[in-house]
Amino acid sequence: MAAPPVLLLPPPPSGSAALRVLIAARFSPGPPPRLEPAGRPGWVAFAEGDLGTAAALALGGPPRDRPWGLQELRRGLGALEAHLGGGRRFLVGDGVTLADVTVTCTLLGPFTQVGPQKWPWDPKISLLLDPPARAPFPGVTRWFLRCLRLPQFRAELGEVQLCGGETPGETPETPETGFFEGSTESDPRPPFCPSVGQPRGVPGGPEPGVPGGPEPPAPAKSAAQLKKEAKKREKLEKFQQKQEKNRELQAQAKAKPSRARRELRGLRYETPTPPGCKKDVGGPLPESYSPGYVEAAWYSWWEKEGFFRPEFGRSLETPNPRGVFVMCLPPPNVTGTLHLGHALTVAIQDTLTRWNRMRGLTTLWAPGCDHAGIATQVVVERRLLRSRGLSRHQLGRQAFLDEVWRWKEEKGDRIYQQLRRLGASMDWERACFTMDPKMSRAVTEAFVRLHEQGLIYRSRRIVHWSCALRSAISDIEVEKRELGGRTLLRVPGYEEPVEFGVLVSFAYPLEGAGPGEDPEVVVATTRLETMLGDAAVAVHPEDPRYQHLRGRHVVHPLTGRRLPVLHDAFVDPEFGTGAVKITPAHDAADFEVGRRHGLGVAVVIGEDGAMVNVPPPFQGMPRFQARRALLDTLKALGLFRGVSENPMVVPICSRSKDVLEPRAVPQWFVRCQGLAGAAAAAVRRGDLRLHPPGHARTWFSWMENIRDWCISRQLWWGHRIPAYFITIDDPRVTPGEDEDGRFWVSGRSEDEARAKAAAAFGVSPAAIGLRQDEDVLDTWFSSGLFPFSIFGWPEQTPDLERFYPGSLLETGHDILFFWVARMVMLGLALTGRLPFRQVYLHAIVRDAHGRKMSKSLGNVIDPLDVISGTSLQALHLQLESSNLDPAELERAREGQKRDFPEGIPECGTDALRFALCAYTAQGRDINLDVGRVLGYRHFCNKVWNGARFVLRALGEGYRPPPEEQLARRRSLAERWVRSRLSRAVRSCGDALAAFDFPGATTAVHGFWVYELCDVYLECVKPVLARDPEAARAALLTCLEAGLRLLAPFMPFLAEELWQRLPRAPPAPPSVSLAPFPEPQQFCWQDDEAEASMEFVLGIARALRSLRAAHGLSRQRPPCAPPGGSGGGLWVSCSVLTQFGGPVPGAGGGCCAFWGGGLGAAAGGSQEPPRGCAVAVASERCTVHLRLQGLVDPPSELARLGARRRELGGPRGPPSELARLGARAGSWGGPGAAPRAPGGPGYPQKVPPEVQEADGAKLAQLESELQKVLEAEELMRKML
């Protein structure tokens, strides 16, 4: 057999790319496959892009960029660790792929300590990843070493040593040799191993010291070096021990769920119940609350019974004296899934709807769904390309629309089912889709009417253009990204990042420049590619530098056109050189300048983002490639004058993430000035009220500065514009231009449009040719008609007569202009009436850290995850199915670990709704903390346990006695709880009427937790043991009314418990139809009873304060009357007897009002024994708690002394009080009279709110210090 050929290779070139090629060539019979399945991270692209850039900057970049490069390098390693840390041997599959080779070569520099003699072409490489720095990435290190041990790598790299040497935990297992083709277990070398390519340092390889061979052994290390390495090893061992201990603790935590998670694992409703049938509530009430059990089966019964329809239980022909409440749901996108914005909308709107329904109003909450033109078309296009390999243009317009309708039938009902999951009490029989025939008819009618009135017109204007979508887009779909300076952004369709945030200066030659005259005019631009469309240069009329240029021209260096020098006041003389280029077709301000000066509009960027109407070589070039090419051309021509950083705002398409391009194109517009004036006047007159009122200022600002609304969209899915371009077969009529509105006609049908065109031009209809506009209308146009189109407009239907205008519109404040204002303007223009009388604008939901919830940040919370609960692993899987790059993915995973270390517990729909309503107090933003939602889930459990107690106390078949009989027997506690209930009823009703949702939830929550459960139920327990009949009626009244108060917020829990209450017929079938408690019915306010009960509760609070101050929260001193032996508690008060006994409702001198086994004894004549702690409950009552035998005085003195020194007492150096007092100039030391903060200059320099906070803090610290001093004195007496 012939000897294998010998390849003589030159020294490797610089960079990891060459190494990758050489190593890949060692695999036989071919290089390793580039195997990266769909859905996996693109590791080759990641290594060539972000990771390689970060490594290059960290190793040899400019000094100021190296820290950033190192930070990004570690983030990239974190992404690799997340992928490899689970036990993967290689990046993709079970063997080496091109991904492994590429990433390994990229990481060679950072992972190895390389000297100049090793890599002569790159002497800048320095040690980056020593063992401590590698410790957070053990999976990456093992994988890296595993690759380096392979013969193919060793053949090119030799023996590679990691920075600082390897550690035991980093050493990989012996590499298997059968995973690549052509190797065997006995000979792991690849079949093709020419002599130059033999592994170095193995038999047959080059000798040490010869070219291509291994380097000679390193010189012996000094004692100082050895000592330094020993310290490093010791430090690393300690770090690894700590890491191992942390891993063990984490493993134990995973194996043993937390107590909170164990407690939240609830029951499930398993009784077979067909959809629409009533839930079985005949069985016993489960011992604990479970959302899954409570929320099962109720909604389908509500819906089937028709409880949510305005016709239920009444005739719509007869006016309801209570009135009508009508509201429409802001139609969610048909493509959408539930997000927290929807959840907040439903929580607020359903609360208002259920409240008004329970108040007896004829109530209609109308649902709907938006066709979402851009979003739906993008989804179906992707599906079509993925499943059939076709574009919409290949399929054809009608066939594509048929495909969209099929998709809508399959997926379109998903959002409705999710809304049902949230308990939304909508009339589903009136649900509308914005592409339904009746809705499409309303859109056509609206367009034709407004066009006939001159409110819709066609013109060429500047619009936001998405080159990726090839369409104009709405302002609401524009994300404005602020840049502080030079920034590289990824743009779809471009492999390399594009530079933004820089100002490029270049010169235009001045035509006819004379001797001694500056021969050029320098201009600056952030969008160099548009210079090919420049029509002029402009300067300020009063700028002295350019007065000599009046009437002059400059010459375009690439097109040869003569460009006039304009003098226009819009130019800012301070910007750049004071001279600006004018590109009317690609800038809104330049467009207006061009109109003022009669300039042409030369479009140089096409609808797909490629250059058009420009000279070669730029013709057809993508716009940002043309930017770079133009820069090189200007440099070559000697016209480049420099680049400087420039803060700017880059418009980004929220759908495609493309950088938007301003383009002048013929479009349809709505003339808004007159409509906006009417809308603003309606708010000023008070006909339309905005809540909160502060939004009125924004409303007026928008209405007064409104611009005409572009309603054209270059899509196929949507309402096709009912406008036709006219061509006339008559030589007497000059053909029209596309942007000439005279040659466009609108019509409800083509025949109507033809008749209008013939009449306008005075020709026969037979001579008229029509071409319908290919574009569709902006989705917001059809949504703006929603309040009246859902009821059948333009026909005068019974529903339109009964339910229009609506009572309220509730939505997020971020679409006040995009939707609310347009509904008002279109409603006034088309119906002559406002579409609603009030608008409530809720806050925007953010995460717990105040960041906007965004898919790009990976912090979006699915409300269904909060309702049903999910694990941390499931949250990670959701991230991995997104489009985040590896570094962003790792950051998002870390955020989830930090925020949800044990996942999200099951909270339930009711708790989520209640939390969202309570959160609206935060103003314009809601920082949603899932922990607070969990707190309201515990509130549900409190309500559940309270209801179980009451139901058990009532027993089977209970019927309350007559009211007259009960009135004579009511105790103080009963009078008190009825009074508190009446206050809760009034507070809740008043708050809901004022859209004060936090006030309403506080009233309901406070009554249930702090008054009914914590006080009255504890108070009534001993009474039930003696005289149960006296307390049962009050218990039933509180429970039944409390559930009705709760029903608008927590419909499932309220229904589950209300259905189990004893009710006298005729009772409504559901709590959702039961009357909401009204102050006129619950008029039981009793100030005397509340004052008396507050006195008793003050005693309990004083006792609790004493126990907490002395660390007795888990100890229970015995309760005894005065004079008894062993007593631990004395209550000294001269007015207790006014309640008819020592304490109301007490037996034997004891009472358990305050829970926890605490007692009280009455006394006034006897002195309490020595060693008692004292607290003043009020000016009439003192509480004494005996501490003898319960505390250790020396230990307590030590603890109290330490706290006194922290506060700054007389026996220690001033500390907290002294610092605050010195700043505020107000503390005179212990025992001094408290003064308001007021040091030199303090009232003038410190904001009022800070002064108030300082005063409150000072008073708190002084009070605490006084208590500490008193406690120390008491402990000394006990020694």
Side-chain angles (χ1 to χ4, degrees):
M1 178 180 294
V6 177
L7 296 181
L8 299 177
L9 301 177
S14 174
S16 63
L19 286 174
R20 177 182 70 175
V21 173
L22 294 173
I23 294 172
R26 295 244 169 219
F27 286 81
S28 178
R34 180 166 182 159
L35 176 63
E36 296 195 51
R40 301 277 181 87
W43 295 112
V44 173
F46 176 55
E48 293 173 341
D50 295 347
L51 190 64
T53 302
L57 284 175
L59 289 167
R64 64 185 179 87
D65 290 339
R66 290 180 189 177
W68 180 88
L70 184 58
Q71 178 184 2
E72 292 300 311
L73 175 64
R74 287 171 177 163
R75 287 181 178 174
L77 291 174
L80 284 166
E81 180 66 27
H83 186 68
L84 293 164
R88 291 179 182 268
R89 292 177 55 79
F90 298 99
L91 287 174
V92 182
D94 298 325
V96 175
T97 64
L98 194 58
D100 298 281
V101 177
T102 305
V103 180
T104 302
C105 292
T106 302
L107 293 177
L108 270 174
F111 263 100
T112 57
Q113 182 178 5
V114 182
Q117 75 281 6
K118 186 81 172 181
W119 301 101
W121 59 83
D122 196 355
K124 296 180 181 178
I125 294 180
S126 60
L127 183 148
L128 284 178
L129 294 174
D130 57 3
R134 290 196 306 268
F137 316 112
V140 177
T141 307
R142 285 192 294 269
W143 161 83
F144 183 76
L145 291 172
R146 184 180 298 120
C147 291
L148 295 183
R149 298 295 189 269
L150 298 176
Q152 292 88 341
F153 285 83
R154 295 175 63 189
E156 292 300 329
L157 305 177
E159 294 294 335
V160 176
Q161 184 69 29
L162 300 192
C163 301
E166 299 171 24
T167 64
E170 294 177 337
T171 305
E173 65 276 13
T174 303
E176 298 174 8
T177 55
F179 63 87
F180 57 86
E181 191 173 352
S183 62
T184 64
E185 187 172 349
S186 59
D187 185 5
R189 294 174 298 170
F192 174 64
C193 289
S195 58
V196 174
Q198 289 287 348
R200 299 169 183 169
V202 297
E207 294 298 324
V210 301
E215 297 297 329
K221 297 181 180 180
S222 66
Q225 289 176 318
L226 292 173
K227 183 177 180 181
K228 185 176 181 180
E229 289 186 0
K231 288 184 177 179
K232 279 188 176 180
R233 283 195 297 271
E234 183 181 358
K235 182 179 178 181
L236 179 62
E237 288 175 2
K238 290 181 179 179
F239 178 80
Q240 289 178 334
Q241 291 172 1
K242 184 177 180 180
Q243 291 290 94
E244 184 63 30
K245 185 176 181 180
N246 289 338
R247 283 193 289 268
E248 291 176 1
L249 293 175
Q250 291 174 0
Q252 293 174 5
K254 290 181 179 179
K256 183 179 179 182
S258 69
R259 179 183 175 188
R261 289 300 297 260
R262 292 197 305 271
E263 289 177 349
L264 294 179
R265 292 176 180 173
L267 298 174
R268 292 293 181 266
Y269 178 74
E270 298 177 350
T271 304
T273 305
C277 293
K278 187 176 181 180
K279 185 176 182 179
D280 180 15
V281 292
L285 202 62
E287 291 187 2
S288 62
Y289 168 76
S290 168
Y293 179 91
V294 169
E295 295 168 10
W298 284 120
Y299 195 93
S300 63
W301 176 64
W302 292 335
E303 186 177 351
K304 183 180 179 182
E305 292 296 318
F307 295 156
F308 305 152
R309 306 206 67 210
E311 297 91 344
F312 184 84
R314 62 171 55 90
S315 171
L316 295 181
E317 303 297 329
T318 304
N320 184 350
R322 287 261 185 176
V324 178
F325 178 80
V326 180
M327 182 171 55
C328 61
L329 175 77
N333 289 350
V334 68
T335 60
T337 55
L338 203 65
H339 58 68
L340 281 171
H342 291 129
L344 177 61
T345 297
V346 170
I348 292 174
Q349 293 191 10
D350 194 44
T351 295
L352 291 170
T353 301
R354 289 177 179 272
W355 175 61
N356 281 285
R357 185 182 293 118
M358 295 176 70
R359 292 172 61 219
L361 281 72
T362 300
T363 304
L364 172 60
W365 186 17
C369 195
D370 192 89
H371 63 278
I374 293 177
T376 303
Q377 180 161 311
V378 168
V379 168
V380 177
E381 280 193 90
R382 289 174 180 169
R383 168 177 163 167
L384 187 65
L385 187 63
R386 184 172 59 249
S387 61
R388 300 167 60 181
L390 296 174
S391 70
R392 64 182 169 104
H393 298 282
Q394 292 172 315
L395 195 63
R397 182 163 188 153
Q398 189 55 51
F400 177 76
L401 292 178
D402 294 340
E403 191 74 20
V404 178
W405 276 108
R406 278 192 292 272
W407 178 88
K408 189 266 176 185
E409 295 304 318
E410 293 175 13
K411 307 292 186 181
D413 194 48
R414 175 177 53 184
I415 193 73
Y416 284 167
Q417 298 305 322
Q418 293 173 330
L419 290 170
R420 287 179 170 94
R421 181 73 183 275
L422 280 171
S425 59
M426 302 174 185
D427 183 359
W428 294 106
E429 295 187 20
R430 285 183 168 85
C432 292
F433 178 49
T434 51
M435 291 288 286
D436 286 345
K438 77 171 184 178
M439 306 291 282
S440 297
R441 186 168 60 254
V443 170
T444 299
E445 180 69 24
F447 185 94
V448 172
R449 287 194 190 184
L450 295 173
H451 185 242
E452 291 174 345
Q453 297 171 21
L455 293 174
I456 287 181
Y457 65 95
R458 187 170 179 85
S459 178
R460 180 189 293 269
R461 297 284 187 86
I462 295 288
V463 297
H464 290 299
W465 186 271
S466 170
C467 298
L469 300 174
R470 301 190 182 188
S471 173
I473 66 169
S474 169
D475 290 346
I476 198 173
E477 291 161 329
V478 178
E479 296 177 357
K480 296 182 179 179
R481 185 171 302 178
E482 296 186 6
L483 307 180
R486 180 182 181 275
T487 307
L488 295 177
L489 298 180
R490 293 280 183 183
V491 179
Y494 294 84
E495 293 184 0
E496 298 295 327
V498 180
E499 183 181 57
F500 294 90
V502 295
L503 200 62
V504 179
S505 299
F506 67 95
Y508 272 128
L510 179 64
E511 184 183 60
E517 187 178 20
D518 192 348
E520 64 186 28
V521 176
V522 178
V523 296
T525 179
T526 60
R527 299 163 60 221
L528 185 60
E529 64 276 11
T530 62
M531 67 90 65
L532 293 172
D534 284 358
V537 170
V539 296
H540 195 276
E542 299 178 2
D543 193 333
R545 295 172 294 178
Y546 301 110
Q547 295 301 315
H548 66 290
L549 296 182
R550 290 185 180 274
R552 305 285 294 275
H553 291 75
V554 296
V555 179
H556 199 292
L558 301 178
T559 66
R561 293 196 307 270
R562 296 173 69 241
L563 309 181
V565 179
L566 308 177
H567 286 69
D568 196 295
F570 100 99
V571 178
D572 179 6
E574 303 298 324
F575 179 76
T577 63
V580 297
K581 54 189 284 297
I582 303 298
T583 316
H586 295 286
D587 184 271
D590 292 1
F591 183 83
E592 296 300 325
V593 174
R595 292 180 64 180
R596 288 198 295 270
H597 296 273
L599 301 178
V601 181
V603 175
V604 295
I605 300 177
E607 63 178 20
D608 61 349
M611 305 302 294
V612 295
N613 306 319
V614 296
F618 308 107
Q619 178 72 19
M621 190 179 291
R623 51 184 169 151
F624 296 128
Q625 288 185 16
R627 177 182 292 186
R628 292 195 294 268
L630 279 166
L631 185 62
D632 294 338
T633 300
L634 290 172
K635 289 179 178 178
L637 294 174
L639 298 175
F640 173 71
R641 294 296 178 265
V643 176
S644 60
E645 294 204 17
N646 178 64
M648 63 181 297
V649 176
V650 177
I652 306 292
C653 176
S654 64
R655 300 292 182 184
S656 65
K657 303 305 177 185
D658 189 19
V659 175
L660 295 172
E661 189 65 43
R663 293 184 73 235
V665 289
Q667 304 277 279
W668 291 98
F669 292 86
V670 175
R671 209 180 305 274
C672 293
Q673 284 74 16
L675 300 176
V683 175
R684 285 193 175 95
R685 290 193 306 267
D687 297 341
L688 178 64
R689 289 180 290 162
L690 303 180
H691 305 277
H695 289 291
R697 179 180 300 177
T698 305
W699 179 270
F700 295 135
S701 175
W702 277 341
M703 294 299 113
E704 292 165 1
N705 298 282
I706 197 168
R707 294 185 299 173
D708 288 354
W709 170 21
C710 174
I711 56 175
S712 297
R713 297 294 179 267
Q714 289 63 45
L715 306 171
W716 286 359
W717 173 244
H719 297 102
R720 190 171 178 182
I721 296 177
Y724 303 81
F725 184 73
I726 304 168
T727 56
I728 304 174
D729 187 13
D730 190 328
R732 296 172 301 173
V733 181
T734 304
E737 297 291 335
D738 181 87
E739 58 191 271
D740 188 348
R742 296 182 303 114
F743 284 84
W744 285 91
V745 63
S746 62
R748 297 165 184 84
S749 65
E750 189 171 328
D751 290 339
E752 180 185 344
R754 181 173 285 105
K756 284 184 178 181
F761 286 93
V763 298
S764 168
I768 296 295
L770 297 178
R771 171 179 57 84
Q772 187 175 358
D773 196 335
E774 293 286 331
D775 294 348
V776 300
L777 287 165
D778 180 10
T779 301
W780 292 103
F781 187 84
S782 55
S783 297
L785 310 175
F786 201 74
F788 46 93
S789 62
I790 58 175
F791 299 126
W793 184 90
E795 283 78 22
Q796 292 299 313
T797 64
D799 272 5
L800 185 64
E801 182 180 350
R802 296 185 191 111
F803 301 127
Y804 185 81
S807 309
L808 173 72
L809 179 80
E810 194 283 332
T811 188
H813 70 75
D814 55 328
I815 56 174
L816 173 62
F817 175 71
F818 298 104
W819 190 45
V820 181
R822 288 167 177 172
M823 280 190 289
V824 172
M825 292 190 295
L826 291 174
L828 290 172
L830 296 170
T831 71
R833 294 187 290 176
L834 288 167
F836 27 76
R837 292 180 288 273
Q838 297 188 84
V839 177
Y840 178 77
L841 300 165
H842 66 237
I844 301 302
V845 182
R846 299 180 180 270
D847 68 9
H849 309 290
R851 300 177 303 168
K852 180 180 178 181
M853 288 195 177
S854 167
K855 291 180 181 178
S856 62
L857 293 176
N859 64 340
V860 175
I861 300 176
D862 186 342
L864 295 183
D865 288 339
V866 181
I867 292 171
S868 302
T870 189
S871 65
L872 180 60
Q873 290 74 18
L875 292 173
H876 287 346
L877 289 175
Q878 293 176 18
L879 285 179
E880 291 172 4
S881 65
S882 66
N883 295 323
L884 294 175
D885 64 61
E888 290 289 346
L889 178 65
E890 178 60 22
R891 279 195 289 270
R893 287 168 62 96
E894 289 301 319
Q896 288 182 337
K897 290 179 183 177
R898 180 178 63 253
D899 293 341
F900 313 113
E902 297 182 0
I904 300 177
E906 180 187 32
C907 296
T909 297
D910 286 330
L912 177 61
R913 288 168 52 119
F914 200 88
L916 289 171
C917 287
Y919 258 108
T920 56
Q922 295 188 25
R924 290 202 167 198
D925 293 319
I926 291 176
N927 299 344
L928 182 67
D929 183 359
V930 174
R932 186 168 175 184
V933 182
L934 181 59
Y936 287 119
R937 189 243 199 253
H938 296 320
F939 167 55
C940 293
N941 193 63
K942 188 93 169 180
V943 172
W944 184 268
N945 289 334
R948 286 183 67 245
F949 173 83
V950 174
L951 290 173
R952 196 164 54 243
L954 296 179
E956 294 291 335
Y958 172 76
R959 289 293 179 267
E963 179 68 19
E964 300 80 14
Q965 179 180 346
L966 292 172
R968 297 190 297 268
R969 303 173 55 186
R970 290 196 179 103
S971 65
L972 169 65
E974 186 177 339
R975 289 165 51 209
W976 173 81
V977 77
R978 283 163 58 90
S979 181
R980 298 308 300 168
L981 174 60
S982 68
R983 288 186 185 274
V985 167
R986 180 176 295 277
S987 297
C988 184
D990 291 348
L992 287 174
F995 304 106
D996 179 11
F997 298 97
T1001 54
T1002 299
V1004 176
H1005 181 270
F1007 172 74
W1008 269 99
V1009 175
Y1010 305 119
E1011 292 163 354
L1012 180 59
C1013 292
D1014 283 0
V1015 176
Y1016 184 67
L1017 295 189
E1018 296 297 328
C1019 181
V1020 84
K1021 287 177 181 177
V1023 178
L1024 288 173
R1026 296 193 316 271
D1027 185 10
E1029 193 62 32
R1032 284 176 177 170
L1035 287 172
L1036 178 59
T1037 298
C1038 292
L1039 178 59
E1040 198 271 344
L1043 291 176
R1044 283 190 281 148
L1045 284 175
L1046 200 60
F1049 307 97
M1050 295 184 164
F1052 295 102
L1053 176 61
E1055 190 73 82
E1056 182 76 28
L1057 296 174
W1058 191 83
Q1059 290 289 343
R1060 299 171 186 268
L1061 295 182
R1063 301 189 302 277
S1070 167
V1071 71
S1072 61
L1073 302 175
F1076 192 80
E1078 299 284 354
Q1080 296 80 4
Q1081 178 189 1
F1082 291 80
C1083 51
W1084 305 329
Q1085 188 169 327
D1086 189 334
D1087 294 336
E1088 180 184 352
E1090 291 192 28
S1092 300
M1093 197 67 179
E1094 179 60 29
F1095 176 79
V1096 177
L1097 295 176
I1099 298 174
R1101 286 190 291 269
L1103 176 58
R1104 284 179 175 149
S1105 176
L1106 282 176
R1107 291 164 58 83
H1110 295 282
L1112 300 178
S1113 58
R1114 297 187 177 276
Q1115 302 182 48
R1116 299 183 178 183
C1119 171
S1125 59
L1129 173 64
W1130 277 258
V1131 178
S1132 301
C1133 183
S1134 60
V1135 296
L1136 280 174
T1137 55
Q1138 68 173 312
F1139 305 121
V1143 177
C1150 294
C1151 176
F1153 270 43
W1154 27 85
L1158 297 178
S1165 58
Q1166 283 189 324
E1167 288 290 331
R1170 292 172 59 85
C1172 283
V1174 182
V1176 178
S1178 73
E1179 69 278 6
R1180 300 173 297 172
C1181 184
T1182 305
V1183 177
H1184 303 261
L1185 179 65
R1186 188 173 184 180
L1187 301 177
Q1188 195 75 40
L1190 297 176
V1191 298
D1192 180 32
S1195 301
E1196 279 296 294
L1197 277 172
R1199 181 183 68 83
L1200 293 169
R1203 180 55 183 158
R1204 170 176 40 76
R1205 287 187 292 274
E1206 290 175 3
L1207 292 170
R1211 302 176 185 86
S1215 184
E1216 292 184 40
L1217 272 168
R1219 285 196 299 269
L1220 182 60
R1223 187 170 84 87
S1226 62
W1227 190 55
R1235 301 194 301 269
Y1242 182 84
Q1244 294 78 27
K1245 297 178 181 179
V1246 179
E1249 60 273 15
V1250 177
Q1251 294 185 40
E1252 183 178 352
D1254 284 349
K1257 180 66 174 175
L1258 198 60
Q1260 176 191 343
L1261 292 176
E1262 289 176 337
S1263 174
E1264 183 179 358
L1265 177 59
Q1266 188 63 35
K1267 290 180 180 179
V1268 168
L1269 295 174
E1270 292 173 358
E1272 280 188 310
E1273 188 64 28
L1274 176 62
M1275 289 299 109
R1276 291 190 189 92
K1277 293 179 180 179
M1278 295 175 59
L1279 289 175

